Amino acid sequence: KGSVRQQHRFQGVPHVAARQLRHHHAPFVLVGGGAGGGVIQPSTTKAAAAARSSSSSSSPSSLFFRSAHTFQQTTFRTRSALRDAPSTSSAASAFEPVDPVADVPRLRALTADIQAVDASSSSTTTANAAKLALLQDDQVVRTFLSTEDGDAYWKLVNSTFDDDDVESKLVCLALVAARQEHACHGIANLVKTEPANSAEKLTQMADTLRRVETFYSAIGGLLGYQLQVLELIWAQGTPEHVSQDLVKETRAGAPPTPAEADSGNQTKFHLPPGPDMAQNEAFALRAAQWGVAALPCVGEVLPLGGAGDRLGLIDERTGEPLPAAMLPYAGRCMLEHLIRDVQAREYLHYKVHGTQHVTPIAIMTSDAKGNHSRISRLIEDKAFFGRPKSSFRLVKQPSVPLVCGTDGRWIVDGSAFQLQLKPGGHGALWKLLQDEGVLTWLEAQNRHAVVVRQVSNPIAGTDTTLLSLAGYGARHGKSFGFASCPRAVGANEGMNVLVEKKAPGGYTYGVSNVEYTEFDKYGLEDDSRDDGSVDESGRAVSIFPANTNVLYVAIPAVRDVLSREGVASLPGMIINLNKKAKWTDAASGEEREEFAGRLECTMQNLADGLCDPATKPLVGDDGVVALDVRLDLPRNEGDGDAVEDPGAENAYKKEAAAAAAPAIKSIDPKEGLRRLDQLSTFVMYNERRKVTSSAKKARDPNSTRLAQTPDGSFCDLQRNAAELLTKCGMKVPPARDHEEYLEKGGPAMTFLFHPSLGPMWDVIRQKIRGGSMTTGSELVLELAEAQLVNVNINGSLLVSCDNVMGNMEAKAGEGEGKGLVFDTSQCGRVRMRHVRVENAGVNHEETVMESGDCWKHRPSRVESCRIVLHGNAEFEARRCTLSGNLSFEVPAGNKMFVTADADGKLVRTLEPLSAGGKASWGWEYQLCRDGRLRLRLRLWPGAIRRASNAVRSAVGGVAGRIATAGNGKGAQQQAS
């Protein structure tokens, strides 16, 4: 149950004897286990048997998570085999490769000794002194320091760092103990070749090592990091076989294999039960209203630390590589899309409940590609997106050494003599949030839970997805929740599973995730459904749903898991060796290329530590689960009546209060679970393109596969848009699938809107009713307050405003600047009824797919109808045709009214709004008993009468700034 806990048994035992005991009794935590840290019996199915039989394959893919059935079958090259094997580089390294199998027992024992010191020492100073002595006593360290280079290295360490700086000396020795002598040799060589720079290089390396040492302290720091890497490499094996004598020697003190640990069939996987938003719209709307009510107690966490290597994103001005958060998607960078989604949910809460709440946003960045500095600068350049500066907290994800898969050595690029580092996976998120005080910061703002989504997925904010997830979790006091969807067989994404484990006194159950890299390890087969279901691309659908990394997480649950010992704070540790790294060998100066990876954690596997007890099995042999299927549906489901009587309103307020003040509901261990809907973990299902469509990699121009590319994501965004407009009663061309998208050069039509227009589709379809869009047309609505009734578009209609949800006002607090204050009366707004828009629109012939013109939304327009609203300006058009290249710009405090006279000519007038700038109309949101929102458009007669009188008195007059273009050639005329 954790190496530190087991080490208490060895207190008072002589040092040598304790090391021998640990060597044979395996104080070890098995990483990457099932829910609750368990290990899973490997399958005896044909697929798993085939995986076992392929263990002798010499294919590079055999380095990628082969099942660890027994260590007799899981093999490594011996030291001599490694020495004699041909190198993939043009020249072999001058240093002897590390044999992971032979080195694991020594490293395991040394790590256990150091962890025991940490557990038993009364002060940091005492602990550091004892650990330094342990490292100096290690055979590998002693051997290295006795060499000429080792002596030069240690002298440089002692001359560079003061006696008080024991931590720097510790990590420099730990580097040797972890068998990374090649890095130390390089430092020693610098003493001879570049003595002036040697101390600086050593200091830089020590700074990096200290950060890794501190972050991975729970598993033994640098040594623990290397130990976990070697254990994982060991578990997946390499082509050559080792002698049985070496296997027996290294098995002493090793963790149990899945076959050994689960020989009694202790663990099973099942399809996790949960509500399906796609099949139950009434429940989706109800849960979304719980989410709206719970908004004041839910924060937002955005892991943005990924390097985004597969996107190949380059700054067009500087040529520098860019992180994924900077991807210019649909007209703005990915991060801005995520912030707009947050603001839209806040605005919906304001419209329903009348109060404005600012959601605290925690962002995890990294050093990869200047990620941290670029994200910080972007937020500042955007004036914090109209939010208080104090509403953001940025924490930096640690970067960790990249490890060569063949010999366990950390890659040191000799050209610059630097360790190659990569972000250590988003599973570092939870420990980082606790270590940096972010959890406390969230709790101080009365946030009991967080919604987590990744920057590469712009789809997660669609319709009710995030609101329902947060609402269900908060309403029912859940600890951890997954937004899930169908998964294609063979997709490179994890599965959500219900894990059932036998335990003393009964069973444990929990919803968790298994990464696609570990299916073989756990004996999971990626089989298709029995009903032959296929997804929108025609691929077979897997029996298990997809893990999308769209999560609901209760903060007390995070603290509970992090309070445990060992690897619990670093959930789901894996190593992925399916990519090659290139570097210049520090010893030979030659270029090398090897399969390499780093220790990564997965944030979704925090759920592994949140299982619940049950006294009896809750899943039958036929897979049928014990579940309450009522799902808290309202009594008058679907009646659509607004909440107007006091009794109903009070009942709703009670329900809203329950969602707005969530408390985790614990299970009595003696009584246990009775139904699986009582689990503290849960899953909610929806259509795939309403949960995830990521933009993780650049599209291969020679391939028709769009999955996980910006093109595929934008295609799905527009498929959603077509479905939404159809629900609005608008006639639109059939949405194109991925194949048609590529073949015809983009979507059938483009509809982009500010999410505050909804974000729930149930809201948007009351603001847009009827009308049509022809193939190739474009509609962009960058505002929240709009009414479009029977608007027919053949071309481009573009509406934008300065004040989407309110105006910017000075915020209290030093350095806060101006912030967005929600105020419906200060929003720009548009009403268009029975209007036809006719213009040449976008020139699709000039759209360059290879340049990303579609998904970046960089259309080449011939003509458009553009409406620009400043401040609280209004635009209204009725029963007219807006033909040709038009631009209507309305100044703040004014309303422009456009209609047609008897001859069909446009009649335009501009009048000031009423005193105080009161809007002439606005939407009122009313909550219905079935969870729906009913919108009522309210008119303020004074403003309308004045506008109507002005229209009647106008005879073809033109007011305001109206730009027209003659013959579609862009010639502009100014009229007043």
Side-chain angles (χ1 to χ4, degrees):
K1 294 295 184 179
S3 55
V4 176
R5 185 182 308 169
Q6 204 161 10
Q7 281 150 16
H8 291 297
R9 295 163 47 192
F10 303 122
Q11 290 181 359
V13 180
H15 171 72
V16 176
R19 174 173 295 190
Q20 291 173 347
L21 281 170
R22 293 191 188 95
H23 182 78
H24 292 289
H25 288 275
F28 180 81
V29 177
L30 180 62
V31 297
V39 286
I40 317 305
Q41 177 183 354
S43 172
T44 56
T45 58
K46 292 180 180 179
R52 284 195 293 273
S53 65
S54 68
S55 63
S56 59
S57 167
S58 60
S59 167
S61 64
S62 63
L63 288 171
F64 191 45
F65 279 86
R66 186 173 299 115
S67 180
H69 303 283
T70 68
F71 282 93
Q72 283 80 4
Q73 292 169 313
T74 307
T75 57
F76 282 84
R77 284 180 277 188
T78 62
R79 187 183 302 270
S80 59
L82 277 168
R83 187 186 304 117
D84 299 336
S87 173
T88 57
S89 63
S90 56
S93 172
F95 304 112
E96 183 179 31
V98 176
D99 178 8
V101 175
D103 202 46
V104 163
R106 177 196 66 86
L107 196 55
R108 186 186 301 123
L110 182 58
T111 303
D113 287 340
I114 286 179
Q115 287 184 296
V117 168
D118 280 329
S120 60
S121 297
S122 57
S123 69
T124 303
T125 303
T126 304
N128 285 342
K131 288 191 286 187
L132 194 62
L134 276 173
L135 290 172
Q136 289 175 316
D137 188 46
D138 180 68
Q139 181 61 46
V140 170
V141 174
R142 290 203 312 269
T143 301
F144 174 72
L145 295 184
S146 66
T147 66
E148 181 182 350
D149 278 357
D151 182 61
Y153 172 75
W154 189 234
K155 284 180 179 177
L156 180 63
V157 169
N158 284 306
S159 64
T160 303
F161 304 113
D162 297 334
D163 291 340
D164 294 336
D165 192 359
V166 181
E167 289 184 3
S168 294
K169 294 182 179 182
L170 271 175
V171 295
C172 289
L173 278 189
L175 187 67
V176 181
R179 294 304 305 267
Q180 308 307 318
E181 301 101 315
H182 60 291
C184 307
H185 279 292
I187 290 287
N189 190 51
L190 285 175
V191 175
K192 305 171 188 175
T193 59
E194 301 178 46
N197 296 327
S198 57
E200 180 183 354
K201 289 290 186 182
L202 178 64
T203 301
Q204 291 174 354
M205 187 173 70
D207 288 343
T208 298
L209 297 177
R210 278 201 309 272
R211 288 193 292 269
V212 178
E213 172 76 18
T214 300
F215 190 79
Y216 289 96
S217 59
I219 60 171
L222 285 167
L223 297 179
Y225 176 87
Q226 181 67 0
L227 175 62
Q228 301 294 354
V229 166
L230 295 183
E231 294 283 7
L232 288 168
I233 295 177
W234 185 3
Q236 64 190 54
T238 55
E240 287 78 13
H241 291 275
V242 296
S243 70
Q244 292 303 305
D245 291 339
L246 183 57
V247 169
K248 292 176 182 178
E249 176 189 344
T250 54
R251 281 295 293 136
T257 67
E260 294 167 343
D262 199 31
S263 56
N265 193 26
Q266 302 292 306
T267 306
K268 297 179 181 178
F269 292 113
H270 307 284
L271 180 68
D276 189 339
M277 304 294 100
Q279 302 298 322
N280 194 335
E281 184 184 17
F283 179 71
L285 292 171
R286 190 62 157 195
Q289 290 312 316
W290 295 336
V292 174
L295 183 136
C297 71
V298 178
E300 195 93 355
V301 174
L302 307 176
L304 309 185
D309 292 332
R310 291 183 293 170
L311 279 171
L313 192 60
I314 300 295
D315 189 314
E316 294 178 353
R317 292 185 299 105
T318 66
E320 296 176 351
L322 293 174
M326 308 299 291
L327 184 75
Y329 178 88
R332 49 188 47 85
C333 75
M334 280 292 204
L335 176 58
E336 188 170 353
H337 282 288
L338 271 58
I339 302 297
R340 281 157 55 105
D341 282 347
V342 174
Q343 290 176 323
R345 299 197 300 275
E346 293 170 342
Y347 188 69
L348 181 61
H349 179 89
Y350 164 77
K351 294 289 287 187
V352 174
H353 297 284
T355 55
Q356 179 176 357
H357 291 273
V358 178
T359 303
I361 301 174
I363 299 176
M364 183 174 73
T365 64
S366 73
D367 285 323
K369 299 180 180 177
N371 179 295
H372 183 81
S373 59
R374 289 181 182 276
I375 296 297
S376 301
R377 189 164 57 248
L378 172 66
I379 294 173
E380 291 176 1
D381 291 346
K382 293 288 184 179
F384 298 93
F385 301 97
R387 309 173 71 76
K389 182 178 179 180
S390 58
S391 67
F392 288 94
R393 281 291 297 272
L394 272 63
V395 293
K396 194 185 297 185
Q397 179 182 5
S399 294
V400 299
L402 200 60
V403 183
C404 182
T406 56
D407 57 17
R409 295 201 310 170
W410 299 355
I411 295 176
V412 179
D413 193 335
S415 58
F417 199 80
Q418 290 181 337
L419 285 170
Q420 279 203 17
L421 305 172
K422 292 286 186 180
H426 47 56
L429 174 68
W430 309 117
K431 186 175 185 297
L432 199 59
L433 294 183
Q434 176 165 274
D435 291 350
E436 297 293 329
V438 176
L439 296 182
T440 302
W441 173 70
L442 289 166
E443 289 168 328
Q445 299 176 70
N446 197 38
R447 307 292 159 159
H448 307 291
V450 293
V451 167
V452 184
R453 61 184 294 197
Q454 289 183 285
V455 69
S456 59
N457 179 15
I459 302 293
T462 301
D463 197 8
T464 64
T465 298
L466 293 179
L467 287 168
S468 297
L469 179 71
Y472 187 82
R475 175 75 173 82
H476 295 284
K478 300 294 186 180
S479 295
F480 201 102
F482 297 85
S484 190
C485 60
R487 175 186 174 278
V489 172
N492 290 347
E493 57 189 10
M495 296 176 177
N496 287 143
V497 294
L498 173 66
V499 183
E500 174 191 300
K501 293 186 63 182
K502 288 184 179 179
Y507 299 81
T508 62
Y509 289 91
V511 178
S512 190
N513 162 75
V514 177
E515 280 301 296
Y516 71 97
T517 55
E518 300 197 305
F519 292 170
D520 282 348
K521 178 179 177 180
Y522 295 153
L524 279 170
E525 290 191 43
D526 194 2
D527 286 340
S528 59
R529 293 181 182 174
D530 293 337
D531 60 5
S533 301
V534 295
D535 64 11
E536 295 174 342
S537 300
R539 296 180 298 173
V541 176
S542 173
I543 55 176
F544 285 103
N547 172 65
T548 65
N549 278 340
V550 179
L551 310 172
Y552 169 87
V553 187
I555 294 176
V558 177
R559 289 199 182 279
D560 175 44
V561 174
L562 294 183
S563 67
R564 303 171 196 173
E565 300 167 349
V567 299
S569 61
L570 300 167
M573 284 194 278
I574 59 174
I575 185 168
N576 185 338
L577 297 174
N578 68 339
K579 298 178 185 176
K580 285 189 174 183
K582 295 180 180 180
W583 73 97
T584 302
D585 192 283
S588 65
E590 300 293 336
E591 294 297 320
R592 290 191 63 186
E593 183 176 1
E594 300 276 4
F595 286 99
R598 79 276 194 188
L599 189 63
E600 295 182 78
C601 313
T602 51
M603 63 183 179
Q604 63 272 23
N605 282 94
L606 186 82
D608 290 347
L610 297 171
C611 295
D612 296 305
T615 57
K616 59 182 181 180
L618 299 180
V619 182
D621 293 336
D622 55 359
V624 176
V625 301
L627 180 69
D628 185 345
V629 296
R630 292 173 296 175
L631 297 174
D632 290 307
L633 284 173
R635 290 183 181 179
N636 300 313
E637 179 182 343
D639 63 7
D641 293 334
V643 178
E644 294 174 350
D645 61 284
E649 185 173 2
N650 290 335
Y652 166 72
K653 285 181 178 178
K654 263 190 191 177
E655 187 176 86
I664 294 179
K665 298 177 180 178
S666 59
I667 302 296
D668 184 350
K670 294 181 180 179
E671 182 177 339
L673 294 169
R674 295 182 178 179
R675 307 183 312 270
L676 286 176
D677 51 305
Q678 295 176 316
L679 281 170
S680 59
T681 52
F682 69 99
V683 62
M684 298 185 77
Y685 296 104
N686 207 335
E687 291 180 64
R688 183 174 181 86
R689 56 182 166 84
K690 292 183 181 177
V691 181
T692 182
S693 185
S694 59
K696 291 183 178 180
K697 61 183 181 181
R699 179 173 67 87
D700 181 355
N702 299 317
S703 173
T704 58
R705 289 289 302 273
L706 294 185
Q708 297 188 340
T709 68
D711 272 306
S713 179
F714 189 75
C715 179
D716 290 338
L717 183 74
Q718 292 311 302
R719 288 172 64 83
N720 285 338
E723 181 184 345
L724 168 58
L725 290 178
T726 301
K727 290 179 180 291
C728 295
M730 182 177 277
K731 295 180 180 179
V732 296
R736 293 172 180 169
D737 59 21
H738 288 186
E739 185 177 347
E740 291 176 308
Y741 176 95
L742 279 180
E743 180 184 340
K744 298 181 179 180
M749 57 92 201
T750 300
F751 174 38
L752 299 173
F753 58 92
H754 195 288
S756 62
L757 188 67
M760 295 169 58
W761 288 8
D762 192 45
V763 171
I764 296 174
R765 65 186 177 187
Q766 296 176 72
K767 295 180 178 180
I768 301 175
R769 292 187 288 117
S772 65
M773 286 184 71
T774 60
T775 299
S777 292
E778 175 189 29
L779 173 60
V780 178
L781 298 177
E782 280 294 311
L783 76 173
E785 302 298 316
Q787 183 191 37
L788 276 68
V789 178
N790 292 330
V791 176
N792 299 281
I793 303 169
N794 182 23
S796 291
L797 174 60
L798 315 172
V799 182
S800 64
C801 66
D802 299 336
N803 293 358
V804 176
M805 297 167 284
N807 58 358
M808 301 291 288
E809 296 181 6
K811 303 292 289 184
E814 185 178 353
E816 290 290 358
K818 289 187 175 182
L820 175 63
V821 175
F822 292 160
D823 186 347
T824 303
S825 68
Q826 296 301 312
C827 295
R829 65 196 66 229
V830 162
R831 287 186 80 193
M832 301 178 73
R833 292 171 290 165
H834 311 290
V835 173
R836 179 173 293 277
V837 177
E838 292 277 357
N839 56 63
V842 176
N843 182 359
H844 295 284
E845 297 297 325
E846 294 188 7
T847 299
V848 181
M849 293 291 289
E850 287 71 21
S851 299
D853 286 350
C854 276
W855 60 264
K856 292 178 182 178
H857 194 232
R858 298 189 307 192
S860 175
R861 299 186 184 96
V862 179
E863 292 181 327
S864 66
C865 177
R866 190 181 298 271
I867 301 169
V868 181
L869 306 173
H870 296 290
N872 62 341
E874 298 184 17
F875 178 89
E876 184 167 345
R878 186 173 61 191
R879 299 189 183 280
C880 61
T881 297
L882 305 178
S883 181
N885 201 32
L886 299 174
S887 179
F888 303 93
E889 188 168 353
V890 188
N894 289 271
K895 176 174 182 176
M896 180 178 287
F897 192 92
V898 179
T899 188
D901 62 13
D903 297 327
K905 295 181 178 179
L906 291 183
V907 177
R908 315 164 178 90
T909 184
L910 183 73
E911 290 286 344
L913 295 172
S914 61
K918 182 179 179 181
S920 64
W921 64 273
W923 290 110
E924 289 185 352
Y925 290 45
Q926 291 182 315
L927 184 66
C928 300
R929 291 189 179 91
D930 62 355
R932 293 181 181 274
L933 284 172
R934 187 169 72 183
L935 272 59
R936 178 179 295 175
L937 190 140
R938 293 291 302 272
L939 303 176
W940 285 274
I944 297 302
R945 275 199 302 271
R946 185 173 64 251
S948 299
N949 290 335
V951 170
R952 281 193 290 269
S953 63
V955 184
V958 181
R961 295 178 56 221
I962 303 177
T964 61
N967 301 323
K969 295 181 180 179
Q972 297 293 317
Q973 296 180 344
Q974 184 70 36
S976 62

